[in-house]
Amino acid sequence: MPVVELASVTKAYESKVAVNNLSLSIEAGQMFGLLGPNGAGKTSSIRMMMGITMPDSGQVNLFGKPFERKSLERVGYLPEERGLYKKMKVIDQLIFFGELHGVSAADAQTRAVSWAKRLEIADSLTKKTEELSKGMQQKIQFISALLHDPGLIVMDEPFSGLDPVNATLLERTLLELKDQGKAIIFSTHRMDQVEKLCDSICLINKGQAVLAGRVREIKSRYSRDRVIMEFEGDASFLQSPEIAEANNFSGHAEIQLKPSGDAQKLLHEAAAKATIYRFELVEPSLEEIFIQTVGGKADA
Amino acid sequence: MRNILLVAKREYLEGVRGRAFRMSTILVPVVFAVIIAVAVFAGKNSGVGKHVLIATTDSNLAADIQSQLTDDKDSKTTVDVIVPSSPSERDSLVSKVREKEIDGLLWIDTAVPSKITATYISTSSGDIVIGSRLESALNHALAAERLSARGMSKAEVELVMKTVSVDTMQVDKGGKEVKSSGIGAYLKGYIMGIMLAMTTMIYGMNVARSIIQEKTSRIFEVMLASVKAGDLLAGKLLGIGAVGLTQLAIWGVAAALLAGSAFAAPVLNGQLSIHLSITEGLLFGAYFILGYLLYASLFAGLAASCETEQELQMYTPLAAVPIWLSFSLIWLIINNPSSFWSIAASLFPATAPIVMMLRMGAQTPPAWQFAASLAIMVVSVWAVLWVSARLYRVGILMYGKRATLPELLRWLRYS
């Protein structure tokens, strides 16, 4: 049973269609990446999952049932636009958000302290939010989204604004939550994070899903037509008719084969002229797939 | 309901713990007390200690006026009399006023006994208090002189001229006459009206400010993921309203303690005696709650459709027009509390709370008018809340540009 499911969902604002006939589903224990250029419809899709806006057509299901507000008690949400009550003490704020999700004040306090230790911000609990740095505030917001132990975690650009150390801390936490069986969906522009963390992705452009599925499976759809070589000797083999484009950095070459290019032929030609230390036929990165799929079509 | 109460509790605690609450709870009564004290002091000292010159050919009349003015010890007036030989001396006496040798000149022309004229010349055109004292003394002296001229003895003249003060009594609902003080009743209505206007405005504005701050801090999106927009607005109105009620309760208890103390007795006795019945207290509470809800929900809708606090401030004077309109009707209400316009203003929801307070000071309106005005207010609060909740639900997620009127109308249509 999918934890969250969008079935042919459409949402339009004024004359602009933000989300057009989008379908996706996420299972428990799955990390899902929602990708797309700016203005593609990622935040609009997430807002519909959270009941902040309602779809014009189609259906949103949470935990196997059509959307109902009661289900939101089992959802943790980190919106793209971060916001906290500036004048409130951090601990009071966390207890307040916990209570709004049905956790008792005492439980919320215990969990807040435990999470704060885990994310290395225990010293900040008694401070007012406005006294904390942006990164610290982001961690507080991260905790407030997880305090009620949600089955579904929805995060819009969770890593933006974090330094590498804290970004890694959050990545590790998300992977632990995934291992506990939580369904996690997040939107991002950082393809390296998607490759590292996500099981499945959905790439949206102009409100429509243009690429969706498991990361491994998507990457396998693209032919391996890039070669990384390390060599010593005559580099004239880089003029081979098999090659569309090549960049040579003193013995380290990145080669794009022609659509009909044969990697084995190239290897023979190269071996005849130079000493080969490395010849690797690599699959395209998600970033390349992203640019290839969306390139030239994006609004932003 | 649980979430409404949680939001209300948060708003309430943030409100009462804030420095602004502590400061305004202490400072507002202090400022009021200072304003009243200054007004009383200024009133007592107005027209006091003046040096006046009376110029007339009738020396008896002048002496009579002089004795009346100097008998009034509170006025501390110095009065000199001059009997001019001709009207040409007037100019030289006026020049004494101009040179500030004297504060004023009372020129009385008695050449034609049936057509006596009097002029008071001073450097200040607003010298109302001394002018009225002189007029009263002149008329008193003239009347006494005329009665003497008709053969009355001094004792008879005194008896005729003896003044009587009027005690004001008010018939209560049980038909009993109770001592009432016109000024006290007026003050009661006025103070209650001002307190109501001030608290509804301040707390209505606090709701608006809170919405704008949450909108600019982008917290709405987090909140809306766990609370419905309507519940969020309801909690906000409840919590901030409760802060207002708490402040009024603190002032009420402090005023009651102060009024019961020996310190206040000399001030609150006599003309300034103020009595607030339980019914009046309850009506004040009811009008505060409804007035606050009306203005706060109006401000909430306004705030949700604005982008910044500065933009909101541009519109708030317009929203406060009914409050100022209520106070502009004050003379009409005090002098004729049962006139058509007084009743109309006390039924019109935007002016009802303050106008009713002012009317209660002058004359307790009939029960049906209270019932009708409260019922109309309840319906109006519901209608304004309905509109504001819709503007709020859509407006709080709209960032970046100011909403146009057609857009606002479209927001109202969204379900």
Side-chain angles (χ1 to χ4, degrees), chain B residues 100-123:
Chain B
K100 300 213 166 135
E101 286 177 38
I102 52 171
D103 292 308
L105 166 72
L106 179 65
W107 180 272
I108 307 168
D109 186 352
T110 56
V112 184
S114 61
K115 206 181 166 190
I116 295 170
T117 57
T119 315
Y120 181 66
I121 301 141
S122 74
T123 48

Side-chain angles (χ1 to χ4, degrees), chain A residues 13-14 43 47 50-53 69 72-73 75 77 79-88 92-93 96-104 141 144 156, chain B residues 2-4 6-11 14 17 210 214 216-229 232 236 393 397-399 407 410-411 414:
Chain A
Y13 294 104
E14 309 296 329
T43 299
R47 282 181 169 181
M50 299 306 302
I52 294 169
T53 54
R69 291 204 67 86
L72 289 178
E73 286 187 2
V75 183
Y77 178 46
E80 183 185 14
E81 300 281 5
R82 317 282 191 253
L84 291 166
Y85 288 107
K86 303 263 177 264
K87 302 277 174 202
M88 252 178 133
D92 293 341
Q93 188 136 220
F96 172 63
F97 284 122
E99 282 186 289
L100 284 179
H101 282 102
V103 182
S104 73
Q141 195 133 27
S144 78
D156 204 350
Chain B
R2 183 175 178 273
N3 283 350
I4 293 179
L6 282 170
V7 173
K9 183 178 143 198
R10 197 205 76 78
E11 294 286 349
E14 189 170 273
R17 282 175 184 164
S210 157
E214 289 185 4
T216 44
S217 72
R218 305 290 200 255
I219 202 164
F220 276 128
E221 201 148 332
V222 189
M223 293 299 293
L224 289 178
S226 40
V227 190
K228 281 195 279 185
L232 193 56
K236 197 172 276 299
R393 204 171 47 199
L397 288 173
M398 293 285 174
Y399 308 124
E407 276 171 338
R410 245 193 323 270
W411 292 5
Y414 287 150

Side-chain angles (χ1 to χ4, degrees), chain A residues 225-231 247 249 251-257 266 276-283 288:
Chain A
D225 57 0
R226 284 180 69 239
V227 176
I228 305 288
M229 273 185 79
E230 279 170 24
F231 64 94
N247 290 312
F249 306 99
H252 174 96
E254 291 177 8
I255 299 162
Q256 178 71 49
L257 296 175
L266 176 65
I276 310 299
Y277 299 116
R278 179 184 171 197
F279 186 94
E280 188 181 359
L281 199 51
V282 294
E283 61 189 2
E288 284 164 330

Side-chain angles (χ1 to χ4, degrees), chain A residues 87-152:
Chain A
K87 302 277 174 202
M88 252 178 133
K89 275 187 190 166
V90 170
I91 184 74
D92 293 341
Q93 188 136 220
L94 290 173
I95 292 171
F96 172 63
F97 284 122
E99 282 186 289
L100 284 179
H101 282 102
V103 182
S104 73
D107 272 358
Q109 173 148 19
T110 314
R111 293 183 196 185
V113 171
S114 156
W115 268 108
K117 282 181 188 160
R118 194 166 161 184
L119 293 185
E120 301 161 9
I121 47 166
D123 294 345
S124 308
L125 284 176
T126 52
K127 288 184 182 162
K128 279 188 181 176
T129 309
E130 62 188 356
E131 294 169 27
L132 305 182
S133 70
K134 255 190 154 178
M136 298 277 254
Q137 289 188 27
Q138 189 154 334
K139 282 186 182 178
I140 303 296
Q141 195 133 27
F142 190 75
I143 294 176
S144 78
L146 303 173
L147 205 66
H148 53 292
D149 194 23
L152 169 66

Side-chain angles (χ1 to χ4, degrees), chain B residues 70-319:
Chain B
T70 48
D71 282 354
D72 182 358
K73 301 288 179 210
D74 288 343
S75 72
K76 296 174 190 160
T77 313
T78 308
V79 184
D80 290 326
V81 173
I82 189 162
V83 181
S85 50
S86 71
S88 60
E89 285 181 49
R90 194 176 188 267
D91 289 344
S92 68
L93 294 173
V94 170
S95 70
K96 284 190 176 185
V97 175
R98 204 170 45 242
E99 301 300 325
K100 300 213 166 135
E101 286 177 38
I102 52 171
D103 292 308
L105 166 72
L106 179 65
W107 180 272
I108 307 168
D109 186 352
T110 56
V112 184
S114 61
K115 206 181 166 190
I116 295 170
T117 57
T119 315
Y120 181 66
I121 301 141
S122 74
T123 48
S124 159
S125 61
D127 219 345
I128 298 164
V129 176
I130 189 73
S132 124
R133 271 197 196 128
L134 289 172
E135 190 174 286
S136 162
L138 169 63
N139 284 318
H140 188 278
L142 268 175
E145 194 173 72
R146 283 167 182 162
L147 289 172
S148 294
R150 277 160 183 76
M152 273 193 186
S153 68
K154 198 175 174 201
E156 282 173 322
V157 170
E158 267 175 24
L159 188 66
V160 170
M161 300 297 290
K162 196 168 171 61
T163 56
V164 176
S165 63
V166 177
D167 285 338
T168 50
M169 308 289 278
Q170 202 168 11
V171 183
D172 70 8
K173 286 202 175 124
K176 234 170 63 183
E177 289 178 25
V178 287
K179 196 169 186 312
S180 98
S181 137
I183 295 176
Y186 161 77
L187 264 183
K188 179 176 76 179
Y190 193 71
I191 290 173
M192 281 165 74
I194 286 197
M195 281 181 74
L196 205 66
M198 217 171 58
T199 43
T200 46
M201 277 292 288
I202 289 175
Y203 289 100
M205 274 305 295
N206 280 359
V207 169
R209 202 171 300 123
S210 157
I211 290 171
I212 279 285
Q213 279 168 2
E214 289 185 4
K215 196 171 171 177
T216 44
S217 72
R218 305 290 200 255
I219 202 164
F220 276 128
E221 201 148 332
V222 189
M223 293 299 293
L224 289 178
S226 40
V227 190
K228 281 195 279 185
D231 290 356
L232 193 56
L233 179 60
K236 197 172 276 299
L237 290 175
L238 273 183
I240 296 177
V243 177
L245 274 178
T246 305
Q247 192 165 54
L248 285 173
I250 293 172
W251 288 340
V253 170
L257 290 175
L258 193 69
S261 70
F263 170 73
V267 181
L268 295 178
N269 278 340
Q271 280 219 307
L272 287 175
S273 69
I274 295 174
H275 174 71
L276 191 70
S277 68
I278 293 175
T279 317
E280 285 172 331
L282 287 176
L283 282 169
F284 180 83
Y287 278 109
F288 166 76
I289 291 169
L290 289 172
Y292 158 76
L293 283 177
L294 188 72
Y295 280 97
S297 37
L298 188 70
F299 286 140
L302 203 61
S305 44
C306 289
E307 271 301 303
T308 61
E309 213 163 327
Q310 287 78 3
E311 195 185 329
L312 175 72
Q313 276 165 0
M314 266 172 21
Y315 294 110
T316 42
L318 288 176

